[in-house]
Amino acid sequence: MSKIILTGDRPTGKLHIGHYVGSLKRRVELQNSGEFDKIYIMIADAQALTDNADCPEKVRQNVIEVALDYLSCGLDPQMSTLFIQSQISELTELSFYYMNLVTVSRLQRNPTVKSEIQMRNFEASIPVGFFTYPISQAADITAFKATTVPVGEDQLPMIEQTKEIVRKFNQVYGDTLTEPEVLLPSNAACLRLPGTDGKAKMSKSLGNCIYLSDTEKDVKQKVMGMFTDPNHIRIEDPGSIEGNTVFTYLDAFCKDEHFGLYLPDYQNLDELKAHYQRGGLGDMKVKKFLNAVLQEELQPIRERRKEFEKDIPYVYEILRKGTEKAREAASKTLADVKEAMKINYFDDAELIKEQAEKYANQ
Ligand code: TRP
């Protein structure tokens, strides 16, 4: 069986380093591993509209931002198909058929939908489109017969729901769809990178993000202002690394080699942590180290972005070509689905013959 990746992001803002360690970096590694037969990376603008109906312009403007972030991280259009969700009407059509296989109460139990409803104060007035987006996400995944979906932890319930839809479809209509597997980050810090303020999640509205497109100066400033251990007041005080954002970021980004380069007094992160916990290590020194580590990772991304920014029409052209390719794959799956559901009337010679005979014999 071929190995196929599908994943994507809602274009509601520039991507940040939480997206990067949570999924983007992994995608690039998977792409370069050569282990996958096909890789589809989707800019989920239609999904973004399900909770941004009033701000279509925000979504429209951010499509290119996400595309630039993808390309600058090293997604290569020769190896990965980058495309825009709304341009593939087959996905909407699939969603419509899958809707019959899912109950309202099952959607209400989806933990991601639940917490998003709370976050957006939708309790009293949930848009139907938003409520049903897990079904559309199942369409995204199955349209490409994806076997592997690399995403952040918050997307787990979506993949669970997709699996259920696949099983139900195959059970009712015969084996047609492929059940996907989720691929989560292996490192706990990468699973859910907190905001620079220590809050559970990076979010644009909280103003606690480090963006992939931030300048060197921005990154440094944000790192220097990061949340640490509020009880670690004097350098001599023992410090805590639990919930200390600077150390969480180091867990996500730092490699042993970084010490030789930027902080040769220590061999590895465990030594640094031990010193901090003992007391005698100041926040500033740790932050400077984190800044060096982050800059090393972000510098090449920033430089590639600059290059792509010089030729925006070319970036749209990449998306157009990718979208055409993705549409071909999705339309094949839609044809399979309609055949399985026996709603392919005009291609169903058997049906036409059967009906003709029925009437001929009357
Ligand atoms: N829900 C994802 C997000 O919030 C975006 C997305 C849409 C997606 N369809 C998908 C991710 C299919 C993986 C697979 O960013």
Side-chain angles (χ1 to χ4, degrees):
M1 192 172 81
S2 39
K3 290 174 77 178
I4 300 173
I5 287 180
L6 176 115
T7 186
D9 301 273
R10 294 183 196 177
T12 53
K14 296 178 172 192
L15 300 181
H16 50 62
I17 61 172
H19 294 116
Y20 181 69
V21 291
S23 172
L24 260 176
K25 190 176 180 180
R26 185 74 168 282
R27 289 179 209 172
V28 176
E29 287 164 6
L30 295 170
Q31 168 194 272
N32 297 336
S33 76
E35 274 180 35
F36 288 85
D37 301 290
K38 287 185 191 121
I39 302 176
Y40 296 96
I41 312 285
M42 178 180 74
I43 303 181
D45 64 331
Q47 187 178 106
L49 286 169
T50 66
D51 64 331
N52 285 283
D54 300 339
C55 16
E57 194 53 26
K58 175 171 100 182
V59 175
R60 184 168 171 261
Q61 295 293 333
N62 278 304
V63 168
I64 189 79
E65 294 300 335
V66 171
L68 285 166
D69 286 330
Y70 283 169
L71 293 166
S72 54
C73 282
L75 286 174
D76 175 348
Q78 299 296 329
M79 294 191 266
S80 298
T81 305
L82 310 183
F83 69 98
I84 307 181
Q85 184 185 29
S86 64
Q87 302 309 295
I88 303 192
S89 48
E90 284 81 355
L91 298 177
T92 326
E93 217 176 320
L94 282 175
S95 306
F96 193 68
Y97 298 125
Y98 295 172
M99 281 187 191
N100 302 328
L101 307 175
V102 182
T103 63
V104 170
S105 66
R106 175 62 182 90
L107 283 172
Q108 278 166 336
R109 270 187 281 120
N110 184 310
T112 307
V113 173
K114 255 190 188 165
S115 75
E116 285 179 322
I117 285 173
Q118 264 180 3
M119 240 163 61
R120 290 167 179 68
N121 294 321
F122 272 167
E123 277 97 341
S125 55
I126 309 169
V128 174
F130 175 79
F131 185 61
T132 57
Y133 94 77
I135 301 175
S136 121
Q137 191 151 336
D140 301 335
I141 295 169
T142 53
F144 300 95
K145 301 201 155 60
T147 52
T148 312
V149 187
V151 281
E153 189 187 28
D154 61 324
Q155 295 296 306
L156 252 178
M158 298 298 153
I159 316 303
E160 259 329 294
Q161 184 126 40
T162 300
K163 288 184 180 195
E164 284 175 34
I165 291 174
V166 168
R167 283 186 217 128
K168 179 91 188 176
F169 188 98
N170 289 346
Q171 176 210 326
V172 177
Y173 301 110
D175 236 353
T176 313
L177 302 174
T178 308
E179 222 179 285
E181 288 306 323
V182 71
L183 198 60
L184 294 175
S186 43
N187 164 337
C190 297
L191 265 180
R192 187 165 287 239
L193 199 72
T196 52
D197 55 358
K199 296 237 170 71
K201 216 178 159 178
M202 279 203 178
S203 124
K204 193 174 167 193
S205 52
L206 295 173
N208 60 3
C209 304
I210 295 179
Y211 294 99
L212 291 169
S213 48
D214 275 349
T215 62
E216 186 176 348
K217 197 166 145 238
D218 288 338
V219 173
K220 183 162 185 205
Q221 216 167 28
K222 290 180 183 180
V223 170
M224 293 307 159
M226 264 171 81
F227 178 83
T228 59
D229 170 7
N231 300 317
H232 185 237
I233 297 166
R234 287 164 310 168
I235 292 183
E236 315 82 78
D237 292 340
S240 169
I241 55 166
E242 294 293 316
N244 185 325
T245 319
V246 176
F247 280 97
T248 311
Y249 280 30
L250 284 173
D251 279 329
F253 284 96
C254 164
K255 296 186 264 234
D256 289 353
E257 304 90 89
H258 288 133
F259 286 92
L261 287 167
Y262 308 118
L263 202 58
D265 294 350
Y266 306 85
Q267 302 268 327
N268 55 44
L269 192 51
D270 287 338
E271 280 186 25
L272 189 73
K273 284 180 178 172
H275 191 182
Y276 192 82
Q277 287 169 307
R278 255 193 335 267
L281 174 58
D283 281 351
M284 201 41 87
K285 193 163 174 182
V286 189
K287 284 181 173 177
K288 279 192 177 148
F289 176 58
L290 172 62
N291 180 57
V293 169
L294 281 181
Q295 299 290 359
E296 181 184 304
E297 187 95 25
L298 296 177
Q299 180 64 16
I301 297 177
R302 222 179 267 137
E303 276 167 17
R304 267 196 299 264
R305 200 180 212 277
K306 283 260 136 34
E307 287 308 305
F308 284 110
E309 283 173 358
K310 287 184 195 150
D311 197 353
I312 295 297
Y314 171 64
V315 176
Y316 278 106
E317 192 52 26
I318 291 174
L319 294 177
R320 194 178 64 79
K321 289 217 177 94
T323 301
E324 276 168 17
K325 207 167 147 198
R327 191 182 297 124
E328 260 174 54
S331 99
K332 206 178 155 301
T333 303
L334 179 63
D336 293 347
V337 160
K338 286 179 147 177
E339 190 184 331
M341 294 175 72
K342 294 188 179 289
I343 52 172
N344 59 335
Y345 307 104
F346 307 132
D347 296 327
D348 191 346
E350 198 65 23
L351 170 75
I352 298 171
K353 198 169 136 227
E354 189 187 298
Q355 296 297 332
E357 276 167 10
K358 190 170 94 189
Y359 280 94
N361 294 334
Q362 264 177 9

